Amino acid sequence: MTNIKNRTTIGDLFGGLDFVTLISAMFASAYGLTLVYSATYKTLKDGAIFSSEFKAMFVTVVAGVIVATILSQINYEIISKLWPVIAAGCVILMIITFFFGKAPSARQTARSWLDFKFFTIQTSELLKVGFIISFSYHLDMVKDKINRIKTIIPLVIHGAIPVGLVMITGDAGSALIFLIMFIGMLYFARINIGYFVAGICVLVIGFVIAWKTRIISGIQRVRIEGLFYPDQFPDVMYQQNNGKIALGSGGLFGQGFLKGKMTQATVGGVPENQNDMILTVAGEEFGFVGAIAVILLIAILIFRVINVGLNARDNVGYLMCMGVSVMLFAQLVVNVGMELSLLPCIGITLPLFSSGGSSSISIYLALGVVLSVYRYSKNHGETLFYKQ
């Protein structure tokens, strides 16, 4: 009797699981762990086998897979209806972070982490998942009047809240990701193109005004100027310049695992190569092929999440999947653009590859929602969203 019950429980847990999404994410994480191990290898103390960054990432990946699998059992409609609780919890966390947040040594201006002694949490990562859930439900509630001004204004306020919350903690990079997520989710909600044109004009004008009046100042301003005049800002561009050298030095197939001269260097190498600059490790040690493999693994996951969304049984499931795909896409583009000196260095992790427990766990939480959409939509063939 007990054995039958156990078999049924295990069957229920894995029977409707989207293995393509989960395995794609696990492959990416395994590759990411390999790169993080290599990036931190030279910093290991005598007798140590793994660095603290590697161990933290490994634990959060394992926990993330478990949480995502369990979360897939909960109907995403229930999750979406809990948006007030989720949103309130995220806002409270961000307010606590504003008052008690800590900044890492490499980013003293970003007090974005809560220190619990045994571990730290970057609360903006959890806010991403909360925003996807709450904004999806908001968009679904107003889908029949999405293009009315009275509808647009509350949506803009909703999108501005997370941007403002992360900005006050000094995390401009995450604010950019939230802005892209907001615009992307509006696009998938089928907002009239005229609003996008107007919005882009407002952003451009706002940026010009902020630049002219020096609202954009300090390190953010210098990092932008460094993209156009790298020779004038060698200290600011040091990380990105060395990163590009490391990327190019790997050639087609790389110098070999643990053999990167710049990514293995503790002095004169690539700062934060286990984190924001993780692609440089792939490029130097595994070459162009290794770097492209990183991008392809994330791209495969993004397209899979989009496919799950297109086959969702209703609008809210579709929007949540699109929100997750936009989040992954935004972080991929911004991180790679940053490492290639196409964008300023603003501290954005590469999804599932950079070290950092908060990033890993939040992505798996988001993927857990996607797994739920897949599980509860797969048996509704005639009610697939894209057919409506």
Side-chain angles (χ1 to χ4, degrees), residues 24 65 114 122 126 163 172 193 218 236 254 293-294 310 341 343 374-375:
S24 296
V65 171
L114 286 179
Q122 188 176 6
L126 299 178
V163 174
I193 192 66
V236 173
V294 170
L310 291 175
S341 295
L343 293 171
Y374 175 86
R375 181 185 295 274

Side-chain angles (χ1 to χ4, degrees), residues 52-249:
S52 58
E53 292 92 345
F54 178 91
K55 289 186 285 189
M57 185 175 176
F58 179 80
V59 169
T60 52
V61 167
V62 173
V65 171
I66 294 172
V67 169
T69 304
I70 295 173
L71 197 57
S72 72
Q73 290 284 318
I74 304 173
N75 193 325
Y76 66 91
E77 292 181 352
I78 297 175
I79 297 173
S80 68
K81 290 176 181 178
L82 290 173
W83 73 266
V85 177
I86 295 171
C90 289
V91 170
I92 291 171
L93 273 178
M94 292 304 298
I95 293 173
I96 293 173
T97 304
F98 174 72
F99 288 105
F100 303 104
K102 304 293 184 180
S105 57
R107 296 175 63 193
Q108 287 296 319
T109 58
R111 295 185 297 105
S112 305
W113 281 260
L114 286 179
D115 188 352
F116 293 95
K117 302 303 180 183
F118 296 105
F119 62 93
T120 58
I121 294 177
Q122 188 176 6
T123 50
S124 60
E125 295 293 336
L126 299 178
L127 182 62
K128 291 174 185 175
V129 184
F131 175 70
I132 289 171
I133 294 170
S134 64
F135 199 52
S136 295
Y137 194 83
H138 189 168
L139 288 168
D140 181 61
M141 286 193 301
V142 298
K143 61 183 178 181
D144 295 328
K145 47 185 178 181
I146 192 73
N147 288 305
R148 298 179 185 175
I149 291 293
K150 290 182 178 180
T151 301
I152 296 296
I153 293 175
L155 289 173
V156 171
I157 294 172
H158 193 152
I161 290 173
V163 174
L165 286 172
V166 296
M167 283 295 290
I168 63 175
T169 63
D171 193 355
S174 291
L176 176 61
I177 298 301
F178 276 106
L179 181 61
I180 297 172
M181 289 168 61
F182 168 69
I183 294 172
M185 291 182 71
L186 285 178
Y187 171 79
F188 284 113
R190 297 173 176 82
I191 291 286
N192 190 296
I193 192 66
Y195 289 114
F196 286 102
V197 175
I200 291 172
C201 290
V202 169
L203 288 175
V204 171
I205 293 171
F207 177 82
V208 171
I209 293 173
W211 187 266
K212 291 291 185 181
T213 58
R214 303 191 74 84
I215 293 175
I216 300 176
S217 60
I219 189 62
Q220 285 104 350
R221 187 181 186 91
V222 175
R223 283 172 175 170
I224 295 172
E225 291 175 332
L227 294 177
F228 299 97
Y229 308 103
D231 294 338
Q232 297 181 24
F233 303 94
D235 293 340
V236 173
M237 296 302 294
Y238 174 83
Q239 182 183 32
Q240 288 169 290
N241 288 338
N242 279 17
K244 287 188 293 183
I245 294 171
L247 272 169
S249 67

Side-chain angles (χ1 to χ4, degrees), residues 241-285:
N241 288 338
N242 279 17
K244 287 188 293 183
I245 294 171
L247 272 169
S249 67
L252 185 60
F253 296 109
Q255 299 176 16
F257 183 54
L258 301 180
K259 295 180 180 179
K261 294 179 180 179
M262 295 193 69
T263 51
Q264 286 293 310
T266 55
V267 178
V270 183
E272 297 298 318
N273 61 340
Q274 83 285 358
N275 197 355
D276 303 339
M277 305 296 286
I278 193 69
L279 188 65
T280 63
V281 183
E284 186 175 31
E285 298 195 353

Side-chain angles (χ1 to χ4, degrees), residues 80 186 210 219 312 315 322 342 365:
S80 68
L186 285 178
I219 189 62
N315 190 46
M322 295 304 127
L342 299 174
L365 279 172

Side-chain angles (χ1 to χ4, degrees), residues 368-384:
V369 176
V370 174
L371 296 178
S372 175
V373 174
Y374 175 86
R375 181 185 295 274
Y376 287 94
S377 298
K378 61 179 293 187
N379 296 321
H380 295 261
E382 291 306 317
T383 60
L384 300 182

Side-chain angles (χ1 to χ4, degrees), residues 31-51:
Y31 191 6
L33 283 164
T34 303
L35 298 178
V36 170
Y37 177 82
S38 179
T40 57
Y41 178 72
K42 288 291 185 180
T43 65
L44 292 176
K45 297 179 180 179
D46 293 338
I49 301 176
F50 303 112
S51 66

